[in-house]
Amino acid sequence: MKTPTRPLIAGNWKMNGSRAFAKDMAEALVNRLSEREEVGFEMLLCPPAPLIDVVRESVGASGIVIGGQDCHAAKQGAHTGDIAAVMLADAGCNYVIVGHSERRGDYGEVDAVVRDKAAAVQMAGLIPLVCVGETVEQREAGEAVEIVTKQVEGSIPNGSSASTVIVAYEPVWAIGTGRSATVKDIAEIHNSIRTVLSKIVVDGESVRILYGGSVKPDNAAAILSVDNVNGALVGGASLNAHEFFSIAEAAPS
Ligand code: 13P
């Protein structure tokens, strides 16, 4: 089943870029967008926090939206180095990625932490992109569906709805490896995520579920046409304007 909303094509720049890069990238994407009569996708850029303002200035009123890559669960306080969701809202963001496997791995962020961060994002009036995904060991042990189901159940705040939460399935073994999941694997996990969402979210059948993990221009059309895939969360290929835009153009509208 497809959701009625346009596919969301999100670029996670991770810890890459400079102000000059951000300006060039954003302007190149705006130019490409302006050449199109109809835009059948929504485009989201998630730069590192110090580059948010330059991206915001460069995208202007193009319709490209901006997201943070993480936030703290608290509104403010003594948390050196952290950023509150309300600050990302103030900086012009509409979305925030939470629970990325690189955060879960590098900082030991468990589901309860991810859920609290997602709730803080919602409280700030923004939409969390809640990331889930199994490791290669978990997949080889046949536990992928079980692990991802548990992560979805544990990481999504109570009271979420299709307009206040997005899920991103990113198998850890497919991130940055050039080894994307197969269309069959993606379909299986996205279907199981849809099933859980239908149980725990009031309008779970309409929540957007993105796929991430080595999405490239040459596999984007196949991935984006899988049932229950409502967009992509792109890492490496989002650092190249031509590649990222090609992925967006591959989205079925
Ligand atoms: P890659 O597209 O580089 O595999 O990264 C995916 C990802 O982690 C996006 O959040």
Side-chain angles (χ1 to χ4, degrees):
M1 187 198 310
K2 287 286 174 198
T3 58
T5 47
R6 294 179 298 167
L8 179 64
I9 308 301
N12 175 9
W13 293 4
K14 307 192 179 182
M15 197 171 70
N16 294 292
S18 61
R19 294 181 77 78
F21 167 88
K23 187 168 183 291
D24 285 354
M25 265 292 296
E27 286 178 358
L29 293 169
V30 169
N31 282 341
R32 291 287 297 270
L33 211 53
S34 68
E35 288 162 7
R36 291 178 65 97
E37 280 190 6
E38 275 183 35
V39 182
F41 51 82
E42 183 179 357
M43 184 169 274
L44 165 65
L45 301 179
C46 301
L51 305 182
I52 288 173
D53 66 332
V54 66
V55 172
R56 195 198 57 222
E57 279 162 25
S58 305
V59 297
S62 64
I64 296 176
V65 287
I66 305 170
Q69 295 180 9
D70 178 50
C71 68
H72 196 279
K75 259 192 179 165
Q76 60 185 50
H79 302 287
T80 303
D82 280 312
I83 298 171
V86 285
M87 294 173 177
L88 293 169
D90 192 36
C93 291
N94 297 91
Y95 295 90
V96 185
I97 298 170
V98 292
H100 192 284
S101 62
E102 287 151 15
R103 304 268 339 155
R104 290 179 186 258
D106 293 353
Y107 298 94
E109 291 184 7
V110 295
D111 291 341
V113 171
V114 176
R115 188 191 55 223
D116 288 349
K117 289 184 175 202
V121 173
Q122 293 173 334
M123 286 287 287
L126 311 183
I127 300 176
L129 269 71
V130 178
C131 299
V132 296
E134 81 286 358
T135 62
V136 72
E137 293 81 17
Q138 290 164 334
R139 173 153 288 270
E140 282 169 0
E143 297 167 356
V145 168
E146 185 192 334
I147 293 289
V148 169
T149 299
K150 261 196 165 141
Q151 289 177 333
V152 171
E153 286 170 345
S155 308
I156 294 199
N158 289 339
S160 293
S161 70
S163 57
T164 62
V165 77
I166 290 176
V167 176
Y169 169 57
E170 299 204 311
V172 179
W173 48 271
I175 294 176
T177 59
R179 186 185 154 205
S180 154
T182 64
V183 161
K184 189 166 159 278
D185 292 340
I186 297 172
E188 183 193 25
I189 300 288
H190 279 239
N191 286 343
S192 64
I193 293 174
R194 179 68 69 211
T195 304
V196 192
L197 288 172
S198 301
K199 288 185 194 145
I200 64 171
V201 176
V202 57
D203 50 356
E205 68 288 346
S206 300
V207 173
R208 288 205 272 202
I209 310 173
L210 313 185
Y211 169 78
S214 296
V215 177
K216 308 284 177 204
D218 62 357
N219 61 18
I223 291 171
L224 288 165
S225 51
V226 174
D227 237 18
N228 287 313
V229 173
N230 313 116
L233 183 51
V234 185
S238 75
L239 297 171
N240 177 300
H242 178 67
E243 287 192 17
F244 187 54
F245 206 84
S246 302
I247 291 170
E249 284 183 314
S253 45

